[in-house]
């Protein structure tokens, strides 16, 4: 069986004629086989030189045709160019070329266009994935969050996930990596496990810090503040000068606003630090939806102000609601203010519930932490950074808005465009809310001083700020909780003082007993010495 090899450049008219001739012969003659080699003009010269040198042929133009005996082996037999191929077909198969020059030109042009398109499609464009580094990735909330990142706001982008935690959690990280691999997400570029924060931060486009500290890990709030300082000092030391200037640093945790301020204090100069406060917004929307008998998605514009999540206020001041049946009811596109729909001046402040209380209640009911809603809150925060948002709420760096101290990290209403977070100015907010913003600003400054050890009697100042906050909020349940904690602290101090007094008395009694015993021993020794001396005198007298 014979096979003809047809080689040439994609835009060559003679190659186009030879290709059509070869196709016709292969269709009509079952034993006629053809193999085509198509090259660009730039590739042709070098290829032709090498091929001719290998076979000992002399040929200078496109196309080149030779014959191979595919069932017998052996070297190929040189035939020549287009004219030689045409003569061979006419002689052996009585085939003549009936194409006009115009048709041949069109075909050769199509051949060239198709070749260039196929060539471009065959060259894979290097993939530049979005790197998402998770600090503290062994925490359960990370397990809930990671699946949300795929087939989501990172549409048509590949994700390189970097999981970081201490070496003690190596097994958990390896398990998460295995599960992500098993999910076979189309967008998953890679999963990397590391115990080094520098490695995790160096490539990050999004650096997510999952702060593990809360009232359960450190019941004493002052110890919690100091531990937070140590944690964020370690993180800052690892990432400053390493993280890319345009990278988004996202913090989620119980002391996240303070954490953002501590990162700045310890040398992280990035202006792209933001704190997740969406969970508190979600919870307020859920409460409002229940009261107003609408869906949570019908409510928008809820803003989380202040020091999240300890004394935040998820405010309805600029919130709106649709699909609400009230005195005035309109179509689905009609929005009314939440304050108008609620129509209760004190409802908002009477329904503030600390994240601590809410989390405990969910844990008691389900036996699990509230990681599902928390993970979704983190994702929605990241989604706003990726896709932008005309109106959302975030903790971000203050430049003095609403009277806050520049440089503090505070919950604000914001808009996001091209990843840039801008605090929105609200024309009118309630006076009570302004008081709370001022107090929380002072509280954050006090917490930072406690964390850094820059104060003497800050405990009294913190208590004063918190007592004033609860007075303004008018929430007896939370005030009672604060009073109970303060009572426990004072009882502990009193108990410690009594224990110290008892210990001091016991120590004094022990010393007195030791001194009495020592004195008795000294007296006994003196008496014994006197008796011995007297006896010695009597012996001397008898001897005389």
């Amino acid at each position: 069986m014979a096979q003809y090899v047809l080689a040439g450049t994609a835009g060559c008219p003679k190659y186009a004629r030879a290709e059509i001739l070869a196709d016709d012969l292969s269709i009509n003659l079952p034993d006629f086989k053809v193999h085509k080699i198509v090259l660009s003009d730039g590739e042709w010269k070098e290829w032709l030189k090498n091929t001719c040198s290998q076979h000992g042929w002399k040929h200078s133009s496109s196309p080149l045709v030779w014959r191979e005996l595919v069932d017998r082996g052996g070297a190929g037999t040189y035939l020549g160019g287009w004219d030689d191929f045409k003569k061979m077909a006419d002689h052996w198969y009585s085939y003549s070329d009936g194409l006009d020059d115009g048709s041949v030109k069109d075909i050769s042009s199509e051949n060239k266009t198709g070749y260039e398109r196929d060539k471009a499609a065959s060259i894979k464009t290097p993939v530049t994935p979005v790197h998402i580094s998770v600090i503290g990735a062994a925490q359960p909330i990370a397990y809930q969050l990671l699946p949300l990142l795929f087939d989501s706001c990172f549409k048509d982008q590949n994700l390189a996930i970097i999981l970081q935690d201490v070496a003690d959690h190596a097994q958990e990280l390896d398990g998460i990596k295995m599960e992500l691999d098993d999910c076979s997400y189309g967008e998953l570029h890679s999963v990397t496990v590391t115990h080094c924060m520098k490695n995790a931060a160096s490539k990050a486009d999004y650096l997510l810090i999952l702060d593990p500290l809360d009232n359960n890990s450190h019941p004493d709030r002052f110890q919690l503040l100091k531990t937070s300082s140590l944690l964020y000092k370690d993180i800052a030391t690892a990432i400053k000068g390493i993280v890319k200037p345009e990278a988004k640093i996202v913090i989620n945790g119980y002391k996240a606003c303070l954490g953002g301020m501590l990162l700045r204090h310890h040398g992280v100069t990035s202006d792209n630090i933001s704190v997740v406060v969406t969970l508190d917004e979600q919870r307020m929307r859920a409460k409002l939806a229940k009261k107003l008998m609408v869906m949570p998605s019908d409510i928008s514009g809820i803003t989380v102000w202040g020091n999240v999540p300890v004394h935040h206020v998820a405010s309805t001041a600029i919130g709106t609601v649709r699909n609400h049946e009230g005195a005035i009811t309109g179509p689905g596109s009609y929005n009314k203010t939440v304050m108008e729909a609620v129509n209760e001046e004190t409802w908002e402040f009477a329904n503030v519930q600390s994240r601590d209380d809410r989390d405990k209640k969910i844990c008691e009911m389900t036996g699990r932490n509230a990681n599902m809603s928390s993970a979704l809150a983190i994702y929605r925060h990241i989604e706003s950074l990726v896709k932008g948002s005309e109106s959302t709420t975030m903790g971000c760096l203050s430049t003095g808005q609403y009277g806050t101290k520049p440089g503090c990290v505070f919950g604000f209403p914001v808009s996001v465009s091209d990843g840039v977070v801008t605090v929105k100015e609200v024309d009118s907010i309630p006076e009570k809310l302004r008081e709370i913003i001022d107090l929380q600003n002072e509280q954050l400054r006090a917490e930072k001083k406690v964390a850094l050890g820059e104060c003497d009697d800050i405990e009294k100042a913190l208590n004063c700020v918190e007592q004033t906050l609860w007075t303004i909020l008018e929430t007896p349940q939370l005030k009672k909780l604060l009073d109970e904690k303060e009572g426990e602290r004072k009882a502990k101090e009193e108990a410690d003082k009594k224990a110290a007094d008892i210990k001091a008395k016991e120590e004094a009694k022990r010393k007195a007993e030791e001194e009495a015993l020592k004195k008795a021993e000294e007296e006994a020794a003196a008496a014994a010495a006197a008796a011995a001396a007297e006896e010695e005198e009597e012996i001397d007298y008898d001897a005389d």
Side-chain angles (χ1 to χ4, degrees):
M1 181 183 294
Q3 171 177 273
Y4 285 87
V5 180
L6 175 63
T9 58
C12 175
K14 290 184 177 181
Y15 175 81
R17 288 181 181 274
E19 183 180 31
I20 293 170
L21 170 58
D23 287 343
D24 285 348
L25 291 175
S26 63
I27 291 171
N28 293 292
L29 301 172
D31 290 337
F32 188 93
K33 303 298 179 183
V34 63
H35 173 66
K36 303 173 187 176
I37 300 174
V38 186
L39 301 167
S40 67
D41 292 336
E43 297 168 329
W44 171 253
K45 187 175 182 180
E46 185 67 23
W47 180 88
L48 181 63
K49 178 181 177 182
N50 293 336
T51 302
C52 290
S53 175
Q54 181 181 352
H55 292 86
W57 301 333
K58 290 184 178 181
H59 193 87
S60 59
S61 61
S62 172
L64 168 65
V65 185
W66 72 88
R67 183 172 179 265
E68 293 180 344
L69 300 176
V70 296
D71 56 348
R72 299 181 189 175
T77 302
Y78 173 74
L79 182 61
W82 157 243
D83 291 334
D84 300 305
F85 188 43
K86 179 183 177 183
K87 288 177 183 178
M88 183 275 299
D90 183 50
H91 176 76
W92 290 102
Y93 307 113
S94 300
Y95 180 91
S96 60
D97 175 32
L99 293 174
D100 59 78
D101 291 341
S103 298
V104 171
K105 186 176 180 181
D106 291 341
I107 293 171
S108 62
S109 179
E110 289 177 6
N111 284 347
K112 185 174 183 179
T113 301
Y115 171 80
E116 291 173 349
R117 181 180 61 248
D118 294 342
K119 186 80 172 178
S122 68
I123 300 173
K124 292 185 177 180
T125 302
V127 175
T128 303
V130 176
H131 287 82
I132 302 177
S133 297
V134 184
I135 305 298
Q139 296 180 59
I141 192 172
Y143 188 84
Q144 298 282 345
L145 169 66
L146 290 169
L148 300 177
L149 299 175
F150 297 93
D151 193 22
S152 61
C153 59
F154 294 100
K155 194 169 181 62
D156 300 327
Q157 291 181 295
N158 290 279
L159 301 184
I161 306 297
I162 303 172
L163 307 174
Q164 186 280 335
D165 215 311
V166 295
D168 291 345
H169 293 148
Q171 186 171 335
E172 288 94 326
L173 296 183
D174 289 338
I176 295 172
K177 180 183 185 303
M178 288 177 64
E179 284 216 72
L180 284 174
D181 289 336
D182 291 345
C183 287
S184 298
Y185 292 114
E187 309 97 319
L188 181 59
H189 178 272
S190 62
V191 184
T192 306
V193 170
T194 181
H195 306 303
C196 176
M197 277 190 279
K198 284 187 177 180
N199 291 341
S202 61
K203 294 182 179 181
D205 298 301
Y206 293 85
L207 182 65
L208 175 58
I209 300 172
L210 301 180
D211 182 346
L213 304 177
D214 58 22
N215 279 345
N216 293 323
S217 62
H218 292 77
D220 182 89
R221 58 181 176 160
F222 295 99
Q223 189 59 43
L224 173 60
L225 294 174
K226 292 173 182 177
T227 305
S228 295
S229 180
L230 295 176
L231 171 67
Y232 284 98
K233 182 178 181 180
D234 288 344
I235 295 174
T237 301
I239 71 174
K240 65 182 179 182
I242 298 295
V243 68
K244 294 186 287 189
E246 68 276 12
K248 305 294 185 290
I249 301 175
V250 178
I251 310 175
N252 183 79
Y254 195 75
K255 285 293 182 184
C257 284
L258 175 63
M261 295 168 68
L262 292 173
L263 284 183
R264 297 276 295 183
H265 176 82
H266 291 300
V268 177
T269 58
S270 173
D271 291 328
N272 295 321
I273 297 173
S274 60
V275 169
V276 179
V277 302
T278 320
L279 175 60
D280 306 288
E281 175 199 343
Q282 290 173 180
R283 287 177 170 173
M284 179 58 90
R285 285 166 59 192
K287 282 192 172 188
L288 280 168
K290 185 176 180 181
K291 177 172 179 60
L292 299 176
M293 293 183 290
V294 296
M295 297 290 290
S297 57
D298 290 330
I299 300 169
S300 60
I302 302 302
T303 302
V304 179
W305 301 82
N307 184 14
V308 182
V310 185
H311 299 301
H312 70 278
V313 176
S315 174
T316 64
I318 59 174
T320 59
V321 58
R322 58 188 178 88
N323 295 327
H324 174 249
E325 295 185 6
I328 301 176
T329 302
S333 59
Y334 172 70
N335 289 338
K336 65 176 71 173
T337 67
V338 170
M339 297 177 71
E340 177 187 3
V342 173
N343 198 27
E344 294 179 27
E345 185 177 351
T346 61
W347 183 90
E348 177 179 316
F349 296 104
N351 282 271
V352 173
Q353 186 178 28
S354 74
R355 187 185 292 188
D356 209 21
D357 287 345
R358 183 74 169 183
D359 289 346
K360 285 179 181 178
K361 188 173 183 179
I362 291 174
C363 189
E364 289 171 1
M365 296 173 71
T366 66
R368 295 184 296 272
N369 292 329
N371 290 325
M372 180 170 60
S373 55
S374 297
L376 182 59
I378 298 171
Y379 167 73
R380 285 174 171 164
H381 181 103
I382 294 173
E383 182 182 35
S384 294
L385 293 175
V386 175
K387 298 174 66 175
S389 175
E390 291 184 3
S391 180
T392 186
T393 182
M394 289 184 181
C396 59
L397 288 168
S398 166
T399 57
Q401 295 91 340
Y402 300 98
T404 56
K405 180 177 176 59
C408 76
V409 178
F410 208 80
F412 289 119
V414 302
S415 62
V416 186
S417 179
D418 295 328
V420 178
V421 179
T422 304
V423 177
K424 296 177 67 175
E425 292 293 340
V426 179
D427 294 335
S428 177
I429 59 176
E431 186 62 30
K432 185 182 288 188
L433 180 56
R434 288 195 176 276
E435 290 182 58
I436 292 171
I437 291 172
D438 292 341
L439 283 165
Q440 291 193 88
N441 182 47
E442 292 301 317
Q443 185 196 41
L444 267 172
R445 295 174 65 184
E447 285 188 345
K448 182 181 176 184
K449 288 184 177 181
V450 172
L452 298 173
E454 297 176 350
C455 53
D456 297 325
D457 191 19
I458 202 65
E459 181 173 350
K460 182 178 178 181
L462 271 175
N463 283 334
C464 179
V465 170
E466 290 174 355
Q467 289 286 358
T468 309
L469 275 169
W470 297 133
T471 301
I472 294 174
L473 290 173
E474 296 175 353
T475 50
Q477 181 183 0
L478 293 178
K479 187 174 186 302
K480 181 182 177 182
L481 179 63
L482 179 66
D483 290 341
E484 288 175 354
K485 288 184 177 180
E486 184 63 15
E488 290 173 2
R489 186 187 66 79
K490 288 182 178 179
K492 184 176 181 299
E493 283 185 355
E494 188 66 27
D496 291 344
K497 184 177 179 181
K498 287 181 178 179
D501 290 341
I502 292 171
K503 186 176 180 180
K505 289 179 180 179
E506 290 177 349
E507 183 68 16
K509 182 180 178 181
R510 184 184 63 78
K511 286 184 177 180
E513 289 175 349
E514 287 179 352
E515 289 177 359
L517 179 61
K518 183 178 179 181
K519 184 176 181 181
E521 289 175 349
E522 289 175 350
E523 290 176 352
E534 185 178 348
E535 184 178 351
E536 186 177 349
E537 288 179 0
E538 289 179 356
I539 292 172
D540 291 342
Y541 178 77
D542 291 341
D544 292 339

